[in-house]
């Protein structure tokens, strides 16, 4: 006779929700492969990422501006891959060749990288071509300041005006010379998404507050500031710190290292914060800006915006908080 196993007294581990299979932030992709082109040669260098299998003839362009010092694309590789497999061209400007590159040059450097990437695409008809008028700027930390600067006066920098900007924990840290004193004259046509973290002890919300308040030409219906909340209910716990937007994928590793890059690799992970906050809201923003669809999934204070999914026992994660 085989003895029955005694029931375990160990409680089931309550886990985060997986990436959804459909909708914004989901694993429902239009392309299965990412083509990578390395044009990283210093301050105006960049990486170019293109959707393939199948390769579209044309695609929207997303400029992804990294945080201070985090110029290795692997720091954001999983998010970049998500954006590209959703059918977008992604330009990843380097904008600083070293930690001591003058912050006053960052935006000009990024603009030069963007224009280099667009020229490369224009010169090669075998590659997906940018869809005119469908461009958005994403930025994390200092990259958020750069994205705001580019959106403020695109003609000054010779770059296309964006339909949308998405800024994750934007701020200048100890180098404020890169920011403008005001963003009041930013075009009313820009759709804006700001995401800040409840426990961000690096950038805080100073820059995001200023940007949200000063962009008075942008209608309230076309901009939002959202706070992502920590939630220790399950395992691993949902954290809400400055680096949450990072999403390591070592297949995007450029081989470069510094203390910031190493810290990003060791302290960040791809989890529900990415799927249900950064990726989901950005996907909705792009759909709203490019196709006039899904706007109620990024603007407003309904559960379409604030829902973060459920823990494995059915308990909802702490919802996002809309300003």
């Amino acid at each position: 006779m085989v003895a029955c196993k005694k029931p375990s007294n160990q409680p089931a581990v309550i886990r985060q929700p997986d990436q959804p299979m459909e909708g914004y932030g989901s694993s429902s992709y239009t392309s299965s492969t990412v083509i990578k082109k390395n044009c990283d040669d210093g301050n105006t260098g960049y990486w170019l990422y293109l959707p393939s299998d199948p390769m579209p003839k044309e695609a929207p362009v997303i400029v992804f501006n990294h945080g201070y010092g985090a110029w290795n694309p692997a720091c954001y590789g999983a998010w970049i891959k998500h954006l590209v497999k959703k059918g977008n061209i992604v330009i990843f400007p380097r904008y600083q060749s070293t930690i001591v590159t003058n912050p006053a040059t960052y935006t000009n450097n990024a603009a030069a990288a963007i224009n280099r990437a667009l020229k490369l695409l224009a010169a090669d008809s075998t590659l997906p071509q940018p869809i005119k008028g469908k461009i958005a700027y994403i930025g994390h930390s200092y990259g958020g300041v750069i994205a705001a600067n580019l959106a403020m006066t695109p003609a000054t920098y010779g770059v296309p005006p964006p339909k949308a900007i998405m800024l994750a924990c934007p701020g200048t840290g100890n180098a404020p010379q890169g920011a403008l004193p005001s963003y009041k004259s930013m075009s009313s046509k820009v759709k804006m998404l700001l995401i800040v973290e409840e426990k961000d002890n690096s950038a805080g919300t100073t820059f995001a507050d200023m940007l949200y308040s000063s962009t008075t030409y942008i209608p309230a219906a076309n901009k939002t500031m959202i706070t992502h909340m920590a939630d220790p209910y399950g395992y691993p716990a949902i954290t809400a710190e400055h680096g949450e937007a990072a999403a390591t994928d070592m297949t995007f590793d450029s081989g470069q290292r510094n203390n910031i890059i190493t810290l990003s690799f060791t302290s960040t992970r791809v989890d529900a914060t990415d799927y249900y906050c950064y990726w989901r809201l950005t996907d909705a923003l792009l759909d709203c800006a490019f196709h006039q669809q899904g706007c109620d999934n990024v603007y407003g204070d309904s559960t379409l915006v604030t829902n973060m999914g459920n823990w494995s026992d059915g308990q909802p994660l702490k919802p996002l908080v809309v300003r």
Side-chain angles (χ1 to χ4, degrees), residues 27-38:
S27 58
S28 177
Y29 295 120
T30 58
S31 294
S32 61
T33 305
V34 178
I35 295 175
K36 305 168 185 175
K37 291 188 174 292
N38 180 4

Side-chain angles (χ1 to χ4, degrees), residues 19-319:
Q19 184 177 15
M21 297 181 66
E22 299 291 339
Y24 301 127
S26 75
S27 58
S28 177
Y29 295 120
T30 58
S31 294
S32 61
T33 305
V34 178
I35 295 175
K36 305 168 185 175
K37 291 188 174 292
N38 180 4
C39 300
D40 178 5
D41 53 10
N43 284 337
T44 64
Y46 63 96
W47 283 78
L48 182 64
Y49 300 101
L50 306 165
S52 186
D53 297 326
M55 177 183 285
K57 291 184 178 180
E58 55 182 9
V61 173
I62 313 299
V63 176
F64 198 116
N65 296 288
H66 61 79
Y68 175 84
W71 56 70
N72 186 327
C75 296
Y76 305 94
W79 193 3
I80 294 171
K81 181 165 65 176
H82 173 82
L83 289 166
V84 176
K85 291 173 70 175
K86 285 290 186 182
N88 301 294
I89 297 167
V90 172
I91 301 170
F92 186 87
R94 169 96 179 238
Y95 82 72
Q96 56 176 155
S97 58
T98 70
I99 291 293
V100 297
T101 300
N102 184 355
T105 69
Y106 288 173
T107 305
N108 282 309
N109 292 342
I114 294 166
N115 285 318
R116 289 178 62 191
L118 294 175
K119 287 179 181 178
L120 183 151
L121 290 169
D124 189 344
S125 60
T126 67
L127 301 177
Q129 295 301 299
I131 299 176
K132 186 177 181 180
K134 291 187 178 180
I135 186 167
Y137 298 148
I138 292 175
H140 174 227
S141 192
Y142 215 117
V145 177
I146 293 169
N149 292 349
L150 293 170
M152 174 70 172
T153 53
T156 299
Y157 298 105
V159 296
K163 288 283 189 180
I165 59 173
M166 184 278 155
L167 312 184
C169 301
T172 60
N174 295 323
Q177 59 266 47
L180 302 177
S182 171
Y183 293 82
K184 181 176 181 179
S185 59
M186 187 178 292
S187 171
S188 62
K189 297 179 181 180
V190 173
K191 287 184 166 56
M192 180 188 294
L193 167 63
L194 304 174
I195 300 178
V196 297
E197 293 289 339
E198 179 190 17
K199 299 181 183 296
D200 184 347
N201 295 320
S202 296
T205 65
T206 301
F207 182 83
D209 287 334
M210 183 274 285
L211 183 64
Y212 184 89
S213 299
S214 68
T215 49
T216 53
Y217 293 150
I218 300 178
N222 288 342
K223 63 179 178 180
T224 188
M225 183 168 168
I226 292 172
T227 302
H228 171 250
M229 308 299 288
D231 188 347
Y233 180 78
Y235 179 84
I238 296 292
T239 53
E241 300 174 0
H242 183 69
E244 301 300 337
T248 301
D249 184 332
M250 295 308 292
T251 64
F252 285 73
D253 186 14
S254 64
Q256 297 149 335
R257 297 291 186 274
N258 59 37
N259 290 341
I260 295 170
I261 293 170
T262 301
L263 178 63
S264 179
F265 289 167
T266 58
S267 64
T268 63
R269 62 176 181 266
V270 180
D271 64 5
T273 299
D274 301 290
Y275 305 142
Y276 288 89
C277 181
Y278 289 99
W279 299 7
R280 178 177 65 87
L281 292 177
T282 300
D283 287 356
L285 174 71
L286 298 177
D287 198 19
C288 177
F290 295 159
H291 307 113
Q292 295 75 54
Q293 298 175 353
C295 299
D296 56 354
N297 285 261
V298 67
Y299 296 118
D301 198 12
S302 74
T303 56
L304 289 174
V305 176
T306 62
N307 177 47
M308 281 288 294
N310 297 329
W311 294 98
S312 57
D313 68 347
Q315 171 75 16
L317 275 70
K318 281 190 178 180

